[in-house]
Amino acid sequence: MRSASLTGRQQPLAEYDEVLAWLVLALLSFGLVMVYSASIATAEASKFTGHHPTYYLIRQALFIGAGLVAGMMAFQVPLLNWQKVAPYLFVAGVLLLMLVLIPGIGREVNGSRRWLSLFVINLQPSELMKLFAVLYAADYTVRKGALKDRLVKAFWPMFVVMVLVGALLLQEPDMGAFVVILSIAVCTLFLGGFNLKVFGGLVIALPLAFAALILSSPYRMQRVVGFMDPWSDPFGKGYQLSHSLIAFGRGEWFGVGLGASVEKLFYLPEAHTDFLLAVIAEELGFVGVCAVIVLFGWLLIRAFAIGRQSAFLDRQFAALTAQGIAIWLSVQAMINMGVNMGVLPTKGLTLPFLSFGGSGVVVNCIAVAILLRIDWENRRIMRGLPV
């Protein structure tokens, strides 16, 4: 058989990671279907939605459209430009976190002040901060590369910044976003080759710090108690988790059928946002949950592969950014899944790409666009083409 080079029909190389793009589109499409299924009863019963059953479906579709447009725009920006503006974006994110805490400016929902009203939509600064934290941590690690073995000059500046961000997020309160951002910063420093002794201290200090945060707040303490034994108070502290577990139990292997969930009928709060996986488990069963986990696992493998390829090409900022995005999405997805399954205390974190929410969907799409840009630049560099 003649080779492709002899026949002149050599298969052209792809310009970007098509598998990653299709995985994200699959998650967004599946999420759109499940958000509609989980929100029909809520939309029909609410005066806020005009009793329109497709209210959340239409809004989620618009959010996805806006996210895809924002992603295409972000893809056009060279990674070098992202690196240049990373510190300024981080400062802007901190200012937004401060702004949301000002009475009359920040919008309060269910006791949490996390949103800025933009008339048509609500902006959640903590979602933007996750992306800004990825870019800033990657840029910081590259800039401090020569000082990575010096505790005072390398680690403490990042520690102070994280304390500031954490203090602002805990005022909202948004413990979940703080955990995600802290994970991004610590893991990025670790992947950047910072002193291992620093992380040995963190392994000891962080659990103690979290224990102090829990004990200092009756609100957080109640959540932990409810998580440890939701059936002790199924109509109080354990209400949300107990109904999530009932949804998982009803789903069994193959689910009760798409649209046939009972728990979404005003039993399970936040069914289309934080607890969407419980509805998936009830309607599509163990198989549906496994499908979601496989899609996320495949996406994260592709993200880490892009980071690894960037490291081979000696593109440290690109490598750390790709790995930071992978850490962000994996930690947030694992926390959300753990909360839905009763493995972790309840947190206000959505499932990336799937749960209802404008800020989350748009920022997730931008993050994937940056990943695709990194891969696109890697492929051009390997071919000897300009980026």
Side-chain angles (χ1 to χ4, degrees):
M1 185 175 69
R2 291 182 298 176
S3 65
S5 59
L6 292 176
T7 61
R9 296 178 181 177
Q10 187 172 3
Q11 183 70 25
L13 296 174
E15 292 290 334
Y16 60 93
D17 193 327
E18 296 177 358
V19 172
L20 176 61
W22 281 111
L23 284 171
V24 172
L25 288 174
L27 285 169
L28 290 171
S29 301
F30 182 57
L32 183 64
V33 173
M34 294 312 304
V35 163
Y36 180 44
S37 176
S39 65
I40 293 176
T42 303
E44 285 183 333
S46 174
K47 294 180 180 179
F48 173 76
T49 64
H51 304 288
H52 203 291
T54 61
Y55 176 84
Y56 291 105
L57 170 68
I58 293 172
R59 286 183 70 85
Q60 184 73 351
L62 292 174
F63 293 151
I64 291 173
L68 294 176
V69 172
M72 287 187 286
M73 293 172 63
F75 182 81
Q76 306 302 320
V77 180
L79 197 66
L80 182 60
N81 291 352
W82 285 112
Q83 185 175 5
K84 289 178 179 177
V85 301
Y88 305 105
L89 290 176
F90 190 81
V91 171
V94 171
L95 293 175
L96 287 174
L97 290 179
M98 292 178 178
L99 197 63
V100 80
L101 296 175
I102 300 175
I105 297 179
R107 185 167 181 263
E108 186 173 333
V109 179
N110 296 331
S112 297
R113 192 182 296 273
R114 301 177 184 175
W115 295 268
L116 292 173
S117 179
L118 301 181
F119 301 105
V120 179
I121 61 171
N122 293 319
L123 174 67
Q124 190 171 355
S126 59
E127 292 293 338
L128 286 171
M129 199 63 195
K130 294 169 189 174
L131 175 60
F132 297 164
V134 169
L135 297 171
Y136 177 75
D139 176 61
Y140 180 90
T141 304
V142 172
R143 286 189 286 109
K144 298 289 185 178
L147 304 170
K148 60 187 177 183
D149 293 324
R150 302 176 66 177
L151 179 63
V152 175
K153 292 187 177 181
F155 178 74
W156 282 110
M158 175 62 81
F159 178 78
V160 171
V161 167
M162 287 298 106
V163 168
L164 172 62
V165 172
L168 293 172
L169 288 171
L170 292 177
Q171 289 298 312
E172 296 185 2
D174 196 347
M175 184 72 171
F178 177 47
V179 172
V180 172
I181 290 172
L182 189 62
S183 300
I184 292 168
V186 171
C187 292
T188 301
L189 292 179
F190 177 78
L191 292 169
F194 274 55
N195 196 321
L196 289 177
K197 293 181 180 179
V198 173
F199 297 96
L202 285 174
V203 169
I204 298 172
L206 288 178
L208 294 175
F210 279 118
L213 286 171
I214 291 170
L215 293 172
S216 65
S217 170
Y219 163 76
R220 297 188 192 101
M221 193 65 189
Q222 287 178 1
R223 284 200 165 188
V224 171
V225 172
F227 146 73
M228 294 175 67
D229 186 8
W231 307 110
S232 64
D233 188 10
F235 297 103
K237 296 186 292 291
Y239 181 81
Q240 201 167 26
L241 178 55
S242 61
H243 280 280
S244 178
L245 295 176
I246 290 171
F248 272 86
R250 291 193 75 246
E252 297 186 350
W253 287 98
F254 300 103
V256 297
L258 184 63
S261 167
V262 171
E263 287 300 318
K264 70 184 181 183
L265 303 177
F266 312 108
Y267 294 104
L268 179 63
E270 308 297 337
H272 59 297
T273 54
D274 298 356
F275 282 83
L276 184 66
L277 188 68
V279 177
I280 294 173
E282 186 179 3
E283 295 189 348
L284 303 180
F286 179 77
V287 173
V289 174
C290 284
V292 172
I293 294 173
V294 168
L295 286 173
F296 271 107
W298 199 352
L299 184 152
L300 298 173
I301 288 171
R302 294 307 313 147
F304 276 113
I306 291 171
R308 185 167 177 263
Q309 185 183 55
S310 301
F312 284 151
L313 295 174
D314 199 26
R315 305 182 67 213
Q316 191 177 9
F317 176 76
L320 292 173
T321 299
Q323 292 163 350
I325 292 172
I327 291 163
W328 158 24
L329 296 177
S330 62
V331 169
Q332 182 164 336
M334 285 190 293
I335 291 175
N336 179 274
M337 293 176 185
V339 167
N340 276 252
M341 297 177 189
V343 180
L344 295 172
T346 305
K347 294 281 184 291
L349 282 177
T350 56
L351 191 58
F353 304 108
L354 275 77
S355 294
F356 175 81
S359 299
V361 168
V362 172
V363 174
N364 291 159
C365 289
I366 293 173
V368 171
I370 294 174
L371 262 179
L372 291 171
R373 176 73 192 197
I374 293 170
D375 180 69
W376 181 81
E377 291 185 2
N378 288 346
R379 293 174 190 238
R380 290 185 66 85
I381 288 171
M382 289 190 293
R383 297 174 192 171
L385 299 173
V387 296

